[in-house]
Amino acid sequence: MSTVNTMRAISQDVLGGPEVLKQVEVERPRPRPNQVLVRVRAAGLNPTDWKHRATGGFLGEPPFVLGWDVSGVVEAVGIGVATFKPGDEVFGMLPYPFGHGAHAEYAVAPVRALTHKPSVIDHTQAGALPLVSLTAWQALVENADLQPGQRVLIHAAAGGVGHVAAQIAKARGAYVIGTASAGKHDFLRGIGVDETIDYRETDFAEAVKDVDVVLDTLGGETSLKSLRVLRPGGLVVSILPVGSEDLYTEAERLGVRALRMLVDADRAGMRAIADLVGQGKLRPTIARAFPLADAAEAHALGDTGRTTGKLVLTVD
Ligand SMILES: NC(=O)c1ccc[n+]([C@@H]2O[C@H](COP(=O)([O-])OP(=O)(O)OC[C@H]3O[C@@H](n4cnc5c(N)ncnc54)[C@H](OP(=O)(O)O)[C@@H]3O)[C@@H](O)[C@H]2O)c1
């Protein structure tokens, strides 16, 4: 039971499988200048959560509380915060990677990481959106400057990033080609994908060509192979930022472009995402929502890499 100074959080003392996660009672954070304390109502889960749980990733050794997605209600604001007041409903992404800590009853966010939650979606939906939507927005709009009529190939289009990227690309007026196993093709068509590829049966590099932009959510061989489906001057944006330099040399050799990126917390991007939600052009699909205490179960499902849409933790 939390007291006024404490809160429940999902923490771990060692690296490992989902079983290392446990619910603990920790001190409730306080907002410092230009920070907002959010009473978390929902927090999305992302592959980076399972990767950090297992390997420590950017964070090193535990203990730590994971979670970058947040949707909730402003509990308190630090000195200088003019944009929000207690009671406001907000959502956003905590700075990646070191701002983590949303898988808890309360989280502190820099004011610029947040924006107001659109009233047309609930907290579970809003908590699912930030990290994947910012990733897709920064990849397709900020980096690739996707234009109406352009052809975009989205790998793993039924995944967390892919299913919002497909909707953002459609909202930009692009022609969207998406890969997924065959059982997910109806889902892809439902979110507006124009052309589907069953990656288990068909080699995408043989099936598509003259692509303007590839969103590479898989990395490795897929990054290199994706270069071959581009039109001259086309761009592969890979969100698996660690990889060999071969990608750049091969891109240059083929007369195309490649870049690797990490998502960056940003209010302008969150506002653009909130606008798309408000216009009915972007909705997350919730694969499953779990109460905070069942975070380990959610991680185990996420670890499979087979979910459609998003996993979310909800906090009562
Ligand atoms: N750089 C960054 O800032 C950044 C940001 C966000 C995510 N990421 C990374 O991007 C990757 C994707 O993230 P996510 O949230 O979208 O993951 P996710 O939701 O776990 O992706 C699951 C989806 O991947 C599909 N999939 C698996 N293998 C596939 C393949 N070979 N071809 C096509 N689809 C395949 C699955 O569909 P099937 O069941 O049909 O196989 C499933 O629907 C992760 O590695 C994540 O860490 C990086």
Side-chain angles (χ1 to χ4, degrees):
M1 187 62 195
S2 313
T3 69
V4 72
N5 293 317
T6 64
M7 66 172 187
R8 291 176 292 135
I10 302 301
S11 187
Q12 61 187 95
D13 292 326
V14 291
L15 303 175
E19 69 283 353
V20 302
L21 298 170
K22 54 186 184 176
Q23 185 169 282
V24 295
E25 200 73 17
V26 294
E27 196 176 335
R28 189 185 295 185
R30 292 168 201 270
R32 296 197 287 195
N34 276 329
Q35 288 186 335
V36 175
L37 179 67
V38 180
R39 166 77 168 90
V40 180
R41 297 294 310 281
L45 292 140
N46 293 284
T48 193
D49 290 303
W50 10 111
K51 292 176 189 176
H52 277 89
R53 183 207 70 224
T55 70
F58 294 118
L59 306 182
E61 286 301 312
F64 44 64
V65 176
L66 296 171
W68 284 270
D69 280 329
V70 65
S71 181
V73 180
V74 173
E75 178 80 9
V77 297
I79 292 168
V81 175
T83 320
F84 304 111
K85 59 183 186 317
D88 284 358
E89 298 193 292
V90 294
F91 75 138
M93 189 189 87
L94 305 183
Y96 188 84
F98 299 114
H100 59 98
H103 294 165
E105 276 183 293
Y106 293 88
V108 161
V111 66
R112 292 216 156 256
L114 301 172
T115 194
H116 289 101
K117 179 185 81 61
S119 58
V120 292
I121 54 171
D122 61 22
H123 283 293
T124 303
Q125 292 172 299
L129 279 173
L131 187 146
V132 290
S133 308
L134 277 178
T135 303
W137 180 265
Q138 289 165 9
L140 295 179
V141 180
E142 292 185 4
N143 280 313
D145 191 24
L146 192 64
Q147 295 296 317
Q150 285 193 321
R151 288 161 59 80
V152 58
L153 169 63
I154 298 172
H155 289 295
V161 174
H163 89 298
V164 297
Q167 296 173 68
I168 290 171
K170 287 310 295 177
R172 305 286 291 182
Y175 179 86
V176 178
I177 306 158
T179 67
S181 53
K184 298 184 175 180
H185 287 194
D186 281 347
F187 170 75
L188 294 193
R189 284 186 278 271
I191 57 171
V193 171
D194 297 290
E195 198 176 316
T196 56
I197 297 172
D198 176 2
Y199 70 89
R200 291 182 180 165
E201 297 293 330
T202 307
D203 180 353
F204 72 89
E206 304 294 328
V208 285
K209 58 180 183 177
D210 295 331
V211 169
D212 295 281
V213 179
V214 178
L215 177 57
D216 169 29
T217 57
L218 297 170
E221 275 304 299
T222 302
S223 313
L224 276 173
K225 236 173 150 181
S226 294
L227 298 171
R228 291 172 17 210
V229 307
L230 293 172
R231 64 155 174 80
L235 174 69
V236 169
V237 182
S238 178
I239 59 170
L240 279 301
V242 184
S244 72
E245 290 303 306
D246 291 2
L247 182 64
Y248 301 110
T249 45
E250 184 63 3
E252 204 173 332
R253 195 181 70 77
L254 294 172
V256 295
R257 295 171 296 147
L259 63 83
R260 294 189 170 108
M261 59 157 275
L262 265 187
V263 64
D264 193 16
D266 166 46
R267 187 195 290 152
M270 284 307 303
R271 281 205 176 135
I273 289 154
D275 284 348
L276 287 175
V277 169
Q279 293 160 16
K281 293 178 176 166
L282 177 62
R283 288 289 183 278
T285 290
I286 308 299
R288 204 163 144 195
F290 293 83
L292 182 69
D294 295 344
E297 204 185 326
H299 271 240
L301 185 55
D303 264 342
T304 66
R306 296 267 88 87
T307 45
T308 300
K310 293 292 303 170
L311 298 170
V312 184
L313 296 176
T314 57
V315 190
D316 292 330

Coordinates of all heavy atoms in Angstrom, one line a residue, residues 46-48 50-51 131-132 135 155-162 179-181 184 199-200 217-218 238-241 261-263 302 305-310, ligand 1:
N46 N 7.8 -1.6 -24.7 CA 8.4 -1.6 -26.0 C 9.6 -2.6 -25.9 O 10.1 -2.9 -24.8 CB 9.0 -0.2 -26.3 CG 7.9 0.8 -26.5 OD1 7.3 0.8 -27.5 ND2 7.6 1.6 -25.5
P47 N 10.0 -3.1 -27.1 CA 11.1 -4.0 -27.1 C 12.4 -3.5 -26.3 O 13.1 -4.3 -25.7 CB 11.5 -4.2 -28.6 CG 10.1 -4.0 -29.2 CD 9.5 -2.9 -28.4
T48 N 12.5 -2.2 -26.3 CA 13.7 -1.7 -25.5 C 13.5 -2.0 -24.0 O 14.5 -2.1 -23.3 CB 13.9 -0.2 -25.8 OG1 15.2 0.2 -25.3 CG2 12.8 0.7 -25.1
W50 N 12.3 -4.9 -22.8 CA 12.8 -6.3 -22.6 C 14.3 -6.4 -22.8 O 15.0 -7.1 -22.1 CB 12.1 -7.4 -23.4 CG 11.1 -7.1 -24.5 CD1 11.3 -7.4 -25.8 CD2 9.8 -6.6 -24.3 NE1 10.2 -7.0 -26.5 CE2 9.3 -6.5 -25.6 CE3 9.1 -6.2 -23.2 CZ2 8.0 -6.0 -25.8 CZ3 7.8 -5.7 -23.4 CH2 7.3 -5.6 -24.7
K51 N 14.8 -5.6 -23.8 CA 16.3 -5.6 -24.0 C 17.0 -5.1 -22.8 O 18.0 -5.6 -22.4 CB 16.6 -4.8 -25.3 CG 16.1 -5.4 -26.6 CD 16.3 -4.5 -27.8 CE 15.7 -5.0 -29.0 NZ 15.8 -4.1 -30.2
L131 N 6.3 6.4 -27.7 CA 7.6 6.0 -28.2 C 7.5 5.5 -29.7 O 8.3 5.9 -30.5 CB 8.3 4.9 -27.3 CG 9.7 4.5 -27.7 CD1 10.5 4.1 -26.4 CD2 9.8 3.4 -28.7
V132 N 6.5 4.6 -30.0 CA 6.4 4.1 -31.3 C 6.0 5.2 -32.3 O 6.5 5.3 -33.5 CB 5.5 2.9 -31.5 CG1 6.1 1.7 -30.8 CG2 4.1 3.2 -30.9
T135 N 9.0 7.6 -32.9 CA 9.9 6.9 -33.8 C 9.5 7.0 -35.2 O 10.3 7.4 -36.1 CB 10.1 5.4 -33.3 OG1 10.4 5.3 -32.0 CG2 11.1 4.7 -34.2
H155 N 8.8 -2.5 -42.8 CA 9.0 -3.9 -42.3 C 8.3 -4.0 -40.9 O 8.3 -3.1 -40.1 CB 10.5 -4.1 -42.1 CG 11.2 -4.2 -43.4 ND1 11.0 -5.2 -44.3 CD2 12.2 -3.4 -44.0 CE1 11.8 -5.1 -45.4 NE2 12.5 -4.0 -45.2
A156 N 7.8 -5.2 -40.7 CA 7.0 -5.5 -39.5 C 5.9 -4.5 -39.3 O 5.8 -3.9 -38.2 CB 8.0 -5.6 -38.3
A157 N 5.1 -4.4 -40.3 CA 4.1 -3.3 -40.3 C 3.0 -3.6 -39.2 O 2.2 -2.7 -38.9 CB 3.5 -3.2 -41.7
A158 N 2.9 -4.8 -38.7 CA 1.9 -5.1 -37.7 C 2.4 -4.9 -36.3 O 1.7 -5.0 -35.3 CB 1.4 -6.6 -37.8
G159 N 3.7 -4.6 -36.2 CA 4.3 -4.4 -34.8 C 4.0 -3.0 -34.3 O 3.3 -2.2 -34.9
G160 N 4.5 -2.8 -33.1 CA 4.3 -1.5 -32.4 C 4.6 -0.3 -33.3 O 3.8 0.6 -33.6
V161 N 5.9 -0.3 -33.8 CA 6.3 0.9 -34.6 C 5.6 0.8 -36.0 O 5.0 1.8 -36.4 CB 7.8 0.8 -34.8 CG1 8.2 1.9 -35.8 CG2 8.6 1.0 -33.5
G162 N 5.6 -0.4 -36.6 CA 5.0 -0.5 -37.9 C 3.6 -0.1 -38.0 O 3.2 0.6 -39.0
T179 N 5.2 -5.5 -44.6 CA 5.5 -6.9 -44.4 C 4.9 -7.4 -43.1 O 5.0 -6.7 -42.1 CB 7.0 -7.2 -44.5 OG1 7.6 -6.7 -43.3 CG2 7.7 -6.7 -45.7
A180 N 4.4 -8.6 -43.1 CA 3.9 -9.3 -41.9 C 3.6 -10.8 -42.3 O 3.5 -11.1 -43.5 CB 2.7 -8.7 -41.4
S181 N 3.5 -11.7 -41.4 CA 3.0 -13.0 -41.7 C 1.6 -12.9 -42.2 O 0.8 -12.0 -41.9 CB 3.2 -14.0 -40.5 OG 2.6 -13.4 -39.4
K184 N -1.7 -11.7 -40.6 CA -1.9 -10.3 -40.2 C -2.2 -9.4 -41.3 O -2.3 -8.2 -41.1 CB -0.6 -9.9 -39.4 CG -0.3 -10.7 -38.2 CD 0.9 -10.2 -37.4 CE 1.0 -11.0 -36.1 NZ 2.1 -10.6 -35.3
Y199 N 6.3 -12.1 -45.5 CA 7.8 -12.3 -45.5 C 8.2 -13.7 -45.3 O 9.4 -14.0 -45.6 CB 8.4 -11.4 -44.4 CG 8.2 -11.8 -43.0 CD1 9.1 -12.7 -42.4 CD2 7.1 -11.4 -42.3 CE1 8.8 -13.2 -41.1 CE2 6.8 -11.9 -41.0 CZ 7.7 -12.7 -40.4 OH 7.5 -13.2 -39.1
R200 N 7.3 -14.6 -44.9 CA 7.7 -16.0 -44.7 C 7.7 -16.7 -46.0 O 8.4 -17.7 -46.2 CB 6.8 -16.7 -43.7 CG 7.0 -16.1 -42.3 CD 6.1 -16.8 -41.3 NE 6.3 -16.2 -40.0 CZ 5.6 -16.4 -38.9 NH1 4.5 -17.1 -39.0 NH2 5.9 -15.9 -37.8
T217 N 12.7 -1.9 -39.4 CA 12.5 -2.2 -38.0 C 13.2 -3.5 -37.6 O 13.0 -4.0 -36.5 CB 11.0 -2.3 -37.7 OG1 10.5 -3.3 -38.6 CG2 10.3 -1.0 -38.0
L218 N 14.0 -4.1 -38.5 CA 14.5 -5.4 -38.3 C 16.0 -5.4 -38.2 O 16.6 -6.2 -37.5 CB 14.0 -6.4 -39.4 CG 12.5 -6.6 -39.4 CD1 12.1 -7.3 -40.7 CD2 12.0 -7.3 -38.2
S238 N 16.9 3.1 -40.7 CA 16.9 2.0 -39.9 C 16.8 2.4 -38.4 O 17.5 3.4 -38.0 CB 18.2 1.2 -40.0 OG 18.2 0.1 -39.1
I239 N 15.9 1.8 -37.7 CA 15.8 2.1 -36.2 C 16.5 1.1 -35.4 O 16.3 1.1 -34.2 CB 14.3 2.3 -35.8 CG1 13.5 1.0 -36.0 CG2 13.7 3.5 -36.5 CD1 12.1 1.1 -35.4
L240 N 17.3 0.3 -36.0 CA 18.3 -0.6 -35.3 C 19.6 0.1 -35.4 O 20.3 -0.2 -36.4 CB 18.3 -2.0 -35.8 CG 17.1 -2.9 -35.3 CD1 17.2 -3.0 -33.8 CD2 15.8 -2.5 -35.8
P241 N 20.0 1.0 -34.5 CA 21.1 1.9 -34.8 C 22.5 1.3 -34.7 O 23.4 1.9 -35.0 CB 20.9 3.0 -33.7 CG 20.1 2.4 -32.6 CD 19.3 1.3 -33.2
M261 N 18.8 5.7 -36.7 CA 18.4 6.7 -35.7 C 17.9 6.1 -34.4 O 17.4 5.0 -34.4 CB 17.2 7.6 -36.3 CG 16.0 6.8 -36.8 SD 14.5 7.8 -36.8 CE 13.9 7.8 -35.1
L262 N 17.9 6.9 -33.4 CA 17.3 6.6 -32.1 C 16.2 7.6 -31.8 O 16.4 8.8 -32.1 CB 18.3 6.7 -31.0 CG 19.2 5.6 -30.5 CD1 20.0 6.0 -29.2 CD2 18.3 4.4 -30.1
V263 N 15.1 7.2 -31.3 CA 14.0 8.1 -31.0 C 14.5 9.1 -29.9 O 15.2 8.8 -29.1 CB 12.8 7.3 -30.6 CG1 13.0 6.6 -29.3 CG2 11.6 8.2 -30.5
G302 N 5.8 -9.9 -24.7 CA 6.5 -9.0 -25.6 C 7.8 -9.7 -26.1 O 8.1 -9.6 -27.3
G305 N 8.1 -11.4 -29.6 CA 8.3 -10.6 -30.8 C 7.2 -10.9 -31.8 O 7.3 -10.5 -33.0
R306 N 6.0 -11.4 -31.4 CA 5.0 -11.7 -32.4 C 3.7 -10.9 -32.1 O 2.7 -11.2 -32.8 CB 4.6 -13.2 -32.2 CG 5.7 -14.2 -32.5 CD 5.6 -14.7 -34.0 NE 6.3 -13.8 -34.9 CZ 7.6 -13.9 -35.2 NH1 8.4 -14.9 -34.6 NH2 8.2 -13.1 -36.1
T307 N 3.7 -9.9 -31.2 CA 2.5 -9.2 -30.9 C 2.0 -8.3 -32.1 O 2.9 -7.8 -32.8 CB 2.6 -8.4 -29.6 OG1 3.8 -7.7 -29.6 CG2 2.6 -9.3 -28.4
T308 N 0.8 -8.1 -32.1 CA 0.2 -7.1 -33.1 C -0.2 -5.9 -32.4 O -1.0 -5.9 -31.4 CB -1.1 -7.8 -33.8 OG1 -0.7 -9.0 -34.4 CG2 -1.7 -6.8 -34.8
G309 N 0.4 -4.7 -32.7 CA 0.1 -3.5 -32.0 C 0.9 -3.4 -30.7 O 2.1 -3.9 -30.7
K310 N 0.3 -3.0 -29.7 CA 1.0 -2.6 -28.5 C 0.6 -3.3 -27.2 O -0.6 -3.6 -27.0 CB 0.8 -1.1 -28.2 CG 1.4 -0.2 -29.2 CD 2.9 -0.2 -29.2 CE 3.4 0.2 -27.8 NZ 4.9 0.0 -27.7
Ligands
LIG1 N1 15.8 3.3 -32.8 C1 14.8 3.5 -32.1 O1 14.7 4.6 -31.5 C2 13.7 2.5 -31.9 C3 12.4 2.9 -31.6 C4 11.4 1.9 -31.5 C5 11.7 0.6 -31.7 N2 13.0 0.2 -32.1 C6 13.3 -1.2 -32.4 O2 12.5 -1.6 -33.5 C7 12.2 -2.9 -33.4 C8 10.7 -3.1 -33.7 O3 10.0 -2.5 -32.6 P1 8.4 -2.8 -32.4 O4 7.9 -2.0 -31.2 O5 7.7 -2.5 -33.6 O6 8.4 -4.4 -32.1 P2 7.2 -5.4 -31.9 O7 5.9 -4.7 -31.7 O8 7.6 -6.4 -30.9 O9 7.2 -6.1 -33.3 C9 6.4 -7.3 -33.4 C10 6.1 -7.5 -34.8 O10 7.2 -7.9 -35.6 C11 6.8 -8.7 -36.7 N3 7.9 -9.4 -37.2 C12 8.9 -10.1 -36.6 N4 9.8 -10.6 -37.5 C13 9.4 -10.1 -38.7 C14 10.0 -10.2 -40.0 N5 11.1 -10.9 -40.2 N6 9.4 -9.5 -41.0 C15 8.3 -8.8 -40.8 N7 7.7 -8.7 -39.6 C16 8.3 -9.3 -38.5 C17 5.8 -9.6 -36.0 O11 4.8 -10.0 -37.0 P3 4.7 -11.6 -37.4 O12 4.1 -12.2 -36.2 O13 3.9 -11.5 -38.6 O14 6.1 -12.1 -37.6 C18 5.1 -8.7 -35.0 O15 3.8 -8.2 -35.4 C19 12.7 -3.4 -32.1 O16 13.9 -4.1 -32.2 C20 12.9 -2.2 -31.3 O17 13.8 -2.3 -30.2 C21 14.0 1.1 -32.2

